[in-house]
Amino acid sequence: MTMGIQQLMRQIEQVRDAFHAAVHVDRDAAAAEALLGETCVLVNAPIGTGGGDPAAIRRYLAEDVLPALPDDLEFERVSRTVDQRRVVDEVRVRFTHDRELPWLLPGVPATGERAEVLAIGVVSFRHRSTAGRTESRISAHRTLWDHAGLCVQLGVDPAVALAAARA
């Protein structure tokens, strides 16, 4: 592997981590959006929240995510795999369900229960070279978690939670 490829891989890790920090630490939608490409897609499976264009992602972050992050939300990386076009993380996520979470469990009222779930995040990138410098932007951010297991921990029927998400 060349030094150039290694630097590119470090660069996309930094962009992915900066996006995560902008959303989950700084709660700064504008900083997060600045890291997204013009045609970015952000999707949380299995419920399908997110957005497929800049306006939808802006609304999603500002209305569904940032005001509804649990105070004790914590992330622990289990593993990371990186190549020239994507970063894949397996993360243990812990929080208390102390409020409705429209980004994670839309339509499900707070249960007050503590939860821990594994999530897989796949963040893809597009690169553009200008004047000998490569700029990388997020082109897709997909997250998948054990929805049924999360619902069971919170005492919520998974079928009811999925129906509420689709309503």
Side-chain angles (χ1 to χ4, degrees):
M1 180 180 319
T2 68
M3 285 295 286
I5 296 297
Q6 290 175 2
Q7 289 172 343
L8 181 64
M9 291 167 60
R10 278 193 296 276
Q11 178 181 331
I12 67 173
E13 283 186 277
Q14 291 170 349
V15 172
R16 182 263 173 229
D17 292 344
F19 179 83
H20 178 84
V23 173
H24 297 101
V25 177
D26 303 331
R27 300 181 184 203
D28 183 345
E33 287 178 57
L35 301 168
L36 304 177
E38 295 173 11
T39 59
C40 184
V41 173
L42 192 149
V43 177
N44 293 309
I47 58 173
T49 58
D53 62 60
I57 292 171
R58 185 175 306 111
R59 188 218 53 80
Y60 172 71
L61 290 173
E63 296 176 18
D64 293 348
V65 178
L66 298 182
L69 291 173
D71 290 333
D72 64 351
L73 181 63
E74 50 184 287
F75 299 87
E76 176 188 354
R77 184 182 314 139
V78 176
S79 68
R80 172 173 275 182
T81 303
V82 182
D83 66 23
Q84 298 108 323
R85 300 206 182 275
R86 70 192 51 81
V87 176
V88 179
D89 284 332
E90 177 184 9
V91 180
R92 184 169 288 113
V93 183
R94 296 179 190 95
F95 64 92
T96 301
H97 189 213
D98 59 357
R99 63 195 74 196
E100 186 175 340
L101 306 172
W103 55 277
L104 181 66
L105 294 165
V108 176
T111 63
E113 296 294 326
R114 184 90 174 136
E116 179 177 306
V117 66
L118 283 175
I120 305 295
V122 180
V123 182
S124 301
F125 292 83
R126 286 209 178 99
H127 310 294
R128 181 181 352 190
S129 293
T130 308
R133 185 168 179 263
T134 301
E135 180 180 90
S136 302
R137 293 284 180 249
I138 297 171
S139 62
H141 192 304
R142 293 177 174 85
T143 306
L144 174 66
W145 61 86
D146 177 8
H147 184 75
L150 176 60
C151 288
V152 168
Q153 289 180 60
L154 299 175
V156 175
D157 182 332
V160 171
L162 279 176
R166 294 186 178 128

XYZ file of all heavy atoms in Angstrom, residues 47 104-108 147 151 156-167:
136
model
N -35.415 1.225 10.296
C -36.615 2.066 10.305
C -36.664 3.089 9.190
O -37.713 3.657 8.918
C -36.804 2.761 11.670
C -35.584 3.600 12.013
C -37.089 1.746 12.749
C -35.748 4.443 13.235
N -34.238 7.276 16.147
C -33.964 5.880 16.467
C -35.235 5.064 16.633
O -35.346 3.965 16.096
C -33.131 5.806 17.757
C -32.701 4.446 18.259
C -31.718 3.810 17.285
C -32.045 4.582 19.632
N -36.187 5.591 17.375
C -37.450 4.904 17.662
C -38.611 5.893 17.522
O -39.249 6.252 18.517
C -37.428 4.327 19.083
C -36.435 3.211 19.354
C -36.271 2.995 20.848
C -36.870 1.932 18.666
N -38.871 6.372 16.310
C -39.925 7.390 16.158
C -41.276 6.878 16.649
O -41.645 5.733 16.423
C -39.947 7.660 14.650
C -39.231 6.530 14.019
C -38.310 5.952 15.040
N -41.980 7.761 17.359
C -43.310 7.430 17.840
C -43.348 6.598 19.099
O -44.423 6.264 19.595
N -42.192 6.257 19.664
C -42.140 5.453 20.891
C -41.828 6.384 22.060
O -40.745 6.978 22.108
C -41.076 4.340 20.793
C -40.975 3.576 22.102
C -41.377 3.405 19.629
N -32.683 -3.702 15.985
C -33.891 -2.987 16.376
C -34.751 -3.815 17.341
O -35.218 -3.305 18.359
C -34.690 -2.626 15.111
C -35.901 -1.808 15.378
N -35.835 -0.470 15.693
C -37.213 -2.135 15.376
C -37.056 -0.008 15.872
N -37.906 -0.997 15.686
N -35.684 -2.894 21.225
C -37.073 -2.777 21.687
C -37.339 -3.672 22.890
O -37.991 -3.252 23.849
C -38.039 -3.122 20.539
S -38.094 -1.859 19.257
N -40.627 -2.590 24.697
C -41.480 -2.146 23.600
C -41.619 -3.288 22.601
O -40.629 -3.931 22.263
C -40.855 -0.916 22.888
C -41.643 -0.507 21.674
C -40.703 0.235 23.865
N -42.840 -3.544 22.138
C -43.065 -4.567 21.123
C -42.412 -4.105 19.822
O -42.752 -3.033 19.307
C -44.565 -4.771 20.923
C -44.906 -5.849 19.920
O -44.106 -6.110 19.003
O -45.998 -6.426 20.035
N -41.456 -4.887 19.255
C -40.772 -4.464 18.033
C -41.735 -4.180 16.865
O -41.510 -3.255 16.099
C -39.850 -5.630 17.699
C -39.629 -6.330 19.002
C -40.911 -6.143 19.778
N -42.802 -4.949 16.745
C -43.766 -4.731 15.662
C -44.477 -3.401 15.846
O -44.730 -2.668 14.875
C -44.773 -5.877 15.599
N -44.806 -3.055 17.081
C -45.462 -1.778 17.373
C -44.495 -0.627 17.059
O -44.884 0.390 16.477
C -45.936 -1.726 18.833
C -46.415 -0.335 19.216
C -47.032 -2.755 19.074
N -43.215 -0.788 17.425
C -42.224 0.251 17.161
C -42.046 0.470 15.657
O -41.963 1.599 15.187
C -40.895 -0.094 17.820
N -41.991 -0.624 14.890
C -41.851 -0.487 13.428
C -43.087 0.166 12.823
O -42.989 1.002 11.930
C -41.576 -1.828 12.774
C -40.137 -2.309 12.836
C -40.007 -3.702 12.242
C -39.189 -1.355 12.116
N -44.258 -0.198 13.317
C -45.493 0.414 12.814
C -45.508 1.916 13.139
O -45.905 2.723 12.294
C -46.721 -0.277 13.417
N -45.060 2.290 14.327
C -45.015 3.706 14.693
C -44.032 4.449 13.799
O -44.283 5.593 13.400
C -44.602 3.858 16.163
N -42.914 3.807 13.447
C -41.912 4.430 12.591
C -42.461 4.676 11.180
O -42.110 5.648 10.539
C -40.660 3.571 12.516
N -43.315 3.791 10.735
C -43.858 3.904 9.372
C -45.082 4.801 9.295
O -45.524 5.133 8.216
C -44.177 2.514 8.849
C -42.909 1.697 8.660
C -43.174 0.365 8.013
N -41.907 -0.319 7.828
C -41.656 -1.551 8.241
N -42.597 -2.243 8.829
N -40.487 -2.091 8.035
N -45.633 5.168 10.461
C -46.847 6.006 10.487
C -46.564 7.443 10.127
O -45.517 7.940 10.134
C -47.484 5.941 11.864
